[in-house]
Amino acid sequence: TIEFTGALHATVVKQVRLKNPSSKTLKYKAILVGRDADDFSLPKGKTVTIAPKGQKIINVEFTSRFLRPAEAVLLLTSKSVGGINGASMSFSLKSEVKHIEPADILKCKSPCYEL
C-alpha cells in the first residue's frame, strides 16, 4: 500500500522503485484503475522499461479534490520483450487529507440587522 497524505487540493508525489534482477530487459505497461483513479496520475507516461540488472523509479501523483479518502490500484502488466515476460505487480493507492488550508481570506463589514 502506498499512502498519500497532505492538504486538500495539494499534489502529493510518491515514488515506486522497480528492480530488474534478470539479464534481460523488462517492459511494463502501467494502468491506474479503481473508483478514484482519475485523481492519480503517472507524469512520466504509462510505459516503463527496465534495463538488465537495473532499476527504474515511477512517480505517482495524487491531487485531492474531496475530504473523503481516495482509493485506486496501480497495475503493472508485463509486455513481452524478446520472449521475456516479467511478473505482473499491483500496488494499492490510498489517500488521507490531514488539513485544510484556506484559498483566501475576505474581510466584510455589514450591519447585523436593520429596523
Side-chain angles (χ1 to χ4, degrees):
T1 300
I2 302 169
E3 296 182 6
F4 296 80
T5 304
L8 184 63
H9 300 297
T11 299
V12 179
V13 179
K14 292 287 184 164
Q15 295 181 329
V16 178
R17 180 177 300 174
L18 303 174
K19 292 183 179 181
N20 179 4
S22 74
S23 59
K24 305 283 185 179
T25 300
L26 293 177
K27 194 171 199 176
Y28 285 95
K29 180 180 177 185
I31 305 167
L32 293 164
V33 295
R35 178 185 72 186
D36 302 307
D38 292 339
D39 295 334
F40 295 89
S41 65
L42 302 164
K44 293 184 179 178
K46 297 185 179 188
T47 301
V48 181
T49 304
I50 310 168
K53 304 287 184 191
Q55 62 183 3
K56 191 77 161 199
I57 293 177
I58 301 173
N59 288 336
V60 182
E61 289 185 357
F62 169 74
T63 303
S64 60
R65 298 184 299 150
F66 306 106
L67 289 174
R68 67 167 172 77
E71 294 181 2
V73 174
L74 170 62
L75 267 174
L76 294 165
T77 55
S78 178
K79 296 172 89 177
S80 181
V81 177
I84 302 298
N85 285 327
S88 294
M89 296 178 275
S90 65
F91 298 90
S92 176
L93 309 175
K94 295 185 179 188
S95 75
E96 184 179 2
V97 174
K98 287 286 191 179
H99 61 281
I100 302 170
E101 295 183 16
D104 200 4
I105 297 174
L106 301 174
K107 288 186 177 184
C108 299
K109 287 187 178 183
S110 173
C112 289
Y113 69 95
E114 292 184 20
L115 291 174

